[in-house]
Amino acid sequence: QVQLVESGGGLVQPGGSLRLSCAASGSISSIYAMAWYRHTPEKPRELVATITSSTSTNYADSVKGRFTISRDNAKNTVYLQMTNLKPEDTAVYYCYADLKSIGGVRNNYWGLGTQVTVSA
């Protein structure tokens, strides 16, 4: 079975940094794209950053210049390096993958989320 496991969340002060990781495991054939979303009870789910198999990236306007998404193909892992964090970045961050499993079809998968809290 394919699953995504996030790690790296925590509590940081404004202006600080965190690095989130998401490892995809299981019988994976191809990963077409991975992404990070975030959600709070006060606002809808937001797409934060995406990276494709060709390493093309896209970012929400609110995080451009502060966040960097990258991947390690050997480990089937995507990262989100977050710098100059702001209180409004506080949310549960969810990993997303568009991938094909061995013997299966192309589908979307979600991690369970990791909490990021930015507060003095």
Side-chain angles (χ1 to χ4, degrees):
Q1 294 181 347
V2 174
Q3 61 183 98
L4 308 179
V5 180
E6 304 103 328
S7 62
L11 173 65
V12 297
Q13 295 185 355
S17 300
L18 280 176
R19 186 178 183 87
L20 305 183
S21 299
C22 172
S25 63
S27 301
I28 298 170
S29 176
S30 302
I31 298 178
Y32 300 96
M34 299 187 78
W36 290 95
Y37 290 78
R38 65 187 182 187
H39 177 258
T40 69
E42 292 78 27
K43 60 184 180 181
R45 183 185 65 183
E46 176 186 23
L47 176 60
V48 177
T50 61
I51 186 166
T52 69
S53 59
S54 63
T55 70
S56 176
T57 59
N58 192 28
Y59 299 91
D61 288 342
S62 59
V63 307
K64 287 180 180 177
R66 300 188 298 118
F67 291 10
T68 301
I69 189 170
S70 61
R71 70 174 193 244
D72 184 337
N73 291 337
K75 298 181 180 294
N76 288 332
T77 298
V78 65
Y79 305 94
L80 186 67
Q81 179 66 52
M82 305 183 293
T83 63
N84 192 24
L85 284 161
K86 304 175 180 180
E88 50 264 43
D89 295 319
T90 296
V92 178
Y93 284 70
Y94 296 90
C95 181
Y96 162 93
D98 173 11
L99 60 81
K100 180 182 182 297
S101 61
I102 297 174
V105 299
R106 184 172 177 174
N107 263 314
N108 299 333
Y109 297 86
W110 291 90
L112 296 179
T114 185
Q115 177 71 47
V116 172
T117 302
V118 185
S119 176

